[in-house]
Every structure is written in C-alpha cells, then in structure tokens.
C-alpha cells in the first residue's frame, strides 16, 4: 500500500498544491470543476478530525502532570477512584471481572466515564482547563503562519526521535522483550488472504501520511515553484514508515516485558486505540526502573507528535479561508492572527462534548465515522478527479514544468491504473465489510448513536454531490455541454500565481506523519 498508493498519491497531492499555489478547495476546483466539492470535503474532514484530536493532547497533558508525583497514581489499587473488589495491580489476563489499576485510572479518574453515550454526566472541569491549554499552545505555534510553524516543528518533529531511541535502548534490555519483538515481526501469512488486512494497511498509510485530508495540498501550496517535491515525497513516506517500524519495536518490546512479568501471552496484552497509549504503556512504566523519568518523557513525546498533526489539520482550514475569502474576512478580522484565533476557538467549542464524563463514547463514535468511513470515499473521488478526469498527461506536464523532467513510468502506471483500482477495491471492501462502532469489547452503541455517526460521516461526503450539482446548475448550455465544461480544467499550465513561500513541505509533512 505504501508503494502502490502512498508514494504515488502523495506526489500527486504535492504536485497539485505546489503548482496551483492554492489549498485543496480552490486547487481541485481548477483541476476538475465537477468535483470541486472534494476539496471542500477534505477541509471538513480535517477540521472535524482536529476538533477531537486535541482531546488526545488533553489526556496526554493530564498524564504528564500526574507523572511528576512521588509514585505514579496508576501504580496501585489503593486510591479513592479504584473499585478495590475488581482491581488488579497487573493485567488481569482471563479474569474478566478484574480491571488493571492503569485501566481504572483512565476510566474512573481521568474520564470519570459513565455507562454509555446516552449519559453525558456533565463536564470534567480539569479536562476542560487542559483542553483550553492545548488549543492555546496550538494557536501560539501557528498564528504567524507557516514560517513560524516551521520554526516550531524543528523541535517538535525531531525531539520525539531522541525519546523514541532512548526508550528503544531501555526496552530491549528488559526481560521478555525478545518475545514481544518476535510477536511483532513474525508474519501470519494466511492473513494476507483477508481483505480487512489490506483495508487496515491502506487506512494506516492514508492516515499517517495525510492523504485526502487536504493538509499535504495546503502545505505544498506554500512551496517555491521549483521545489523538489519528488525528493520530499520519498523523505516523507520513507521517514514515516521507518518511524512506524521503530515505534513498533519500542511498543512490542515493552508489551513482551509486561507479558513476562505477568506470565501472560503477548497477544493478551497487545491492544490498539487509546488503550495502548493511556492504559498499557502507563502500566509498563509503573514496573520499570526510574519510572518517574520515562513516564514524563513519553508523554512529552506524545504531545510533540500530536501538536505536529494539529498544526497541519488547522492550517488546512486557515488556508481555505484565506484563499477563498481573504479580503472579505480581513475586513472583519483585520489581521490573519485573528482568523487563526477564530478557527481555534470554534475547534475548542466543538471539542467540549468529548471532555464530558460520557465523552469517550462520543470520541470513539467520531473517530470511527470520520477517520474510517469517510476517508476512503474522499480518497476515491480525489483520485478520480485528478488522475482519471484531469488526466495523468496534464499532471505529468505540471510536474515537468516544476522539476524539468517527466514522472517516470512507475508513477504514471500507478496514477493511471494501480492506485485508482486499489482505492476503489478498498472502498467497496469497506462498505461490504462494514461493522458498527463499538467501545472496548462489550459496549455497543444504540441505534440513534449509529444514525448520528452516519450523519457525521455524511457531513463531509455530502459536499461532493453538492459541489457537482452547483457546477452543473451554474454552467450554461445543454446537459451534455454542461458536463463537458464541468470536467474541463481551468488551471493554466503556462502561468503560475504567486504565494508567499514558507519552509519546505517535507518538514511539515514529516512532522505530521509520526503521530
């Protein structure tokens, strides 16, 4: 999926953004007017994602502040929030009535979670304050535009690697680490016959690289016209996957260690989602030597990675507003800094439902229908608009004008055949094998919540048909003439607009991908 979808489609997005010097909405409107709604859909999905993504930063801040206590608060069952009768100081294994101390800290102390999404339970005011802090940090890092953000990500994109390698060196020396690493590396070849494995692989590549979120087009639009985006594409994609593999060694060596000390199989401890970061790894730290050192470093690393992703997603919305309504909006807000403040403030308000006592259920519902269901729809229509309707020939001309050479045969074949076929196959498989959202292993959402989830998904997808209808309605002529005009690109392949350049897109993209 990396080589057949990730690398070709990232170069495609870089080419569109750097050549047109516009964000996703206006660049796609020029490339294929009929599918101008795809650009708006990418902005919507990115902004919806950033409204609840910052909640992860809120939880990370909460854990970071509690990591400086004399003993880690998730280390024992002797706390006021623990249900002593079913609390285990280690992983409970097959004892389903027990919960680990770290799980109870997350459920009962951090979240104070209710029994379901139908019970909101009021706002968690500690988390409310930390959510304000998280958005304040995001604002002051990006309010001056991509040039100031570039200076921030020099730290936030590189510092996590020092912590990652420090954790790796420490973890591989722990007893049982070898078992965890072998579990991570040893393939189960029969899984290649399962369609869901390929769907998950595609979702991982699209989410981690940022394809179809609009962020890569937005960042590339600030590049110099002749910036070497082919080099940037390789840097981003290979750095992204290399980081994922190194992180896998860090995580699974720690999981192997936990399996060893609790005498459990590795797959009993391995988990995914928020539970890995906020339950399993804190439990690992509580048993490590010098736990008060590793726990703060880990959550600082998490904050750096999360902030990088937030920068990219918020910048998509800001670029859309400035590109489309710059003069009108500046008449009201006077300064671009105030536009960024308005974008961050609305994002904060939309994040409040996630920090109620029932907020974890809202979070899981949003994540399932935004990051899984909507993404493949957007990816398919973006690929359809750029590679099939706009055409590989025109795309190649754009790249040749910027770099002085045409894309090689590999990219042209992927754009023309392999990438569209794979994305279509994944989209169909996602629909056929659709499973409703759930939290944990037991909680299933009520029907009304599932309906709300689909409305959340449709909120981003709906702009695609609406954009097509608007284009056909406003174009003159017969239906056939309107269709022909609506698939004729308006982008000028001879002249190029000017836009203030920032740092190279590779730095922004590489900063986003590790999270």
């Amino acid at each position: 999926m990396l080589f057949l979808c990730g690398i070709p489609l990232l170069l495609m997005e870089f080419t569109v953004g750097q050549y047109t010097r516009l964000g996703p909405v206006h660049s796609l409107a020029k490339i294929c007017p009929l599918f101008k709604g795809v650009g708006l859909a990418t902005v919507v999905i990115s902004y919806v994602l950033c409204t609840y993504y910052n909640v992860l930063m809120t939880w990370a801040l909460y854990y970071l502040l509690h990591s400086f206590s004399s003993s880690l608060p998730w280390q024992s069952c002797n706390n006021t929030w623990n249900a002593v009768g079913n609390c285990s100081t280690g992983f409970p294994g097959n004892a389903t009535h027990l919960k680990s101390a770290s799980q109870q800290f997350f459920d009962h102390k951090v979240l104070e979670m209710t029994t379901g999404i139908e019970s909101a339970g009021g706002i968690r005011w500690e988390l409310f304050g930390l959510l304000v802090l998280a958005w304040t940090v995001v604002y002051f890092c990006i309010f001056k535009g991509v040039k100031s953000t570039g200076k921030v990500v020099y730290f936030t994109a590189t510092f996590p690697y020092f912590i990652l390698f420090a954790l790796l060196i420490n973890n591989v020396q722990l007893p049982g680490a070898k078992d965890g690493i072998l579990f991570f590396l040893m393939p189960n070849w029969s899984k290649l016959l399962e369609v869901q494995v390929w769907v998950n692989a595609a979702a991982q590549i699209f989410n981690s690289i940022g394809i179809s979120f609009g962020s890569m087009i937005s960042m590339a639009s600030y590049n110099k016209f002749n910036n070497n985006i082919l080099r940037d594409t390789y840097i981003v994609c290979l750095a992204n996957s290399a980081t994922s593999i190194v992180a896998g060694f860090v995580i699974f060596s720690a999981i192997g260690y936990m399996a060893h000390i609790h005498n459990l199989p590795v797959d009993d401890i391995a988990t995914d989602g928020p539970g890995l970061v906020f339950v399993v790894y804190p439990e690992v730290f509580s048993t490590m030597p010098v736990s008060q050192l590793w726990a703060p470093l880990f959550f600082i690393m998490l904050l750096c990675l999360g902030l990088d992703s937030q920068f990219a997603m918020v910048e998509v919305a800001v670029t859309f507003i400035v590109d489309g309504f710059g003069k009108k909006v500046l008449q009201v807000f006077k300064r671009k800094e105030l536009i960024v403040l308005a974008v961050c403030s609305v994002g904060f308000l939309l994040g409040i439902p996630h920090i109620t006592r029932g907020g974890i259920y809202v979070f899981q519902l949003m994540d399932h229908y935004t990051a899984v269901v909507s993404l493949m729809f957007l990816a398919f229509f973006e690929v359809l608009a750029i590679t099939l309707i706009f055409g590989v020939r025109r795309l190649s001309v754009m790249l040749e004008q910027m770099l002085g050479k045409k894309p090689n045969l590999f990219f042209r074949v992927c754009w023309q055949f392999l990438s569209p076929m794979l994305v279509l196959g994944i989209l169909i498989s996602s629909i056929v094998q659709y499973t409703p959202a759930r939290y944990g292993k037991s909680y299933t959402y009520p029907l009304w919540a599932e309906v709300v989830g689909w409305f959340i998904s449709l909120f981003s997808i709906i702009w695609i048909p609406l954009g097509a209808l608007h284009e056909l309605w406003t174009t003159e002529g017969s239906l056939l003439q309107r269709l022909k005009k609506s698939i004729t690109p308006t982008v000028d392949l001879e002249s190029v607009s000017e836009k203030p350049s920032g740092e190279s897109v590779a730095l922004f993209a590489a900063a986003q991908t590790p999270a």
Side-chain angles (χ1 to χ4, degrees), residues 119-167:
S119 178
I123 293 174
R124 283 278 289 114
W125 291 108
E126 288 176 285
L127 297 182
F128 181 89
L130 292 174
L131 185 63
V132 172
L133 176 60
W135 274 108
T136 302
V137 171
V138 170
Y139 171 73
F140 281 108
C141 288
I142 68 171
F143 78 119
K144 287 292 185 182
V146 291
K147 289 188 176 180
S148 65
T149 313
K151 294 178 175 63
V152 174
V153 299
Y154 276 119
F155 172 76
T156 57
T158 55
F159 177 69
Y161 282 98
F162 290 102
I163 301 178
L164 201 62
F165 280 105
L167 283 168

Side-chain angles (χ1 to χ4, degrees), residues 230-241:
L230 183 61
R231 176 204 61 200
D232 289 352
T233 300
Y234 287 127
I235 290 173
V236 170
C237 290
L238 298 178
N240 171 67
S241 292

Side-chain angles (χ1 to χ4, degrees), residues 32-35 471-472 481-488:
C32 181
L34 183 65
F35 285 104
E471 183 63 28
L472 293 173
Q481 290 172 328
R482 292 180 186 186
L483 280 169
K484 187 175 180 180
K485 288 179 182 177
S486 65
I487 61 173
T488 302

Side-chain angles (χ1 to χ4, degrees), residues 288-303:
M288 277 186 182
V290 204
S291 58
Q292 277 78 11
L293 169 66
W294 295 116
L297 285 176
F298 177 79
F299 289 111
I300 290 170
M301 176 184 75
L302 194 67
L303 284 167

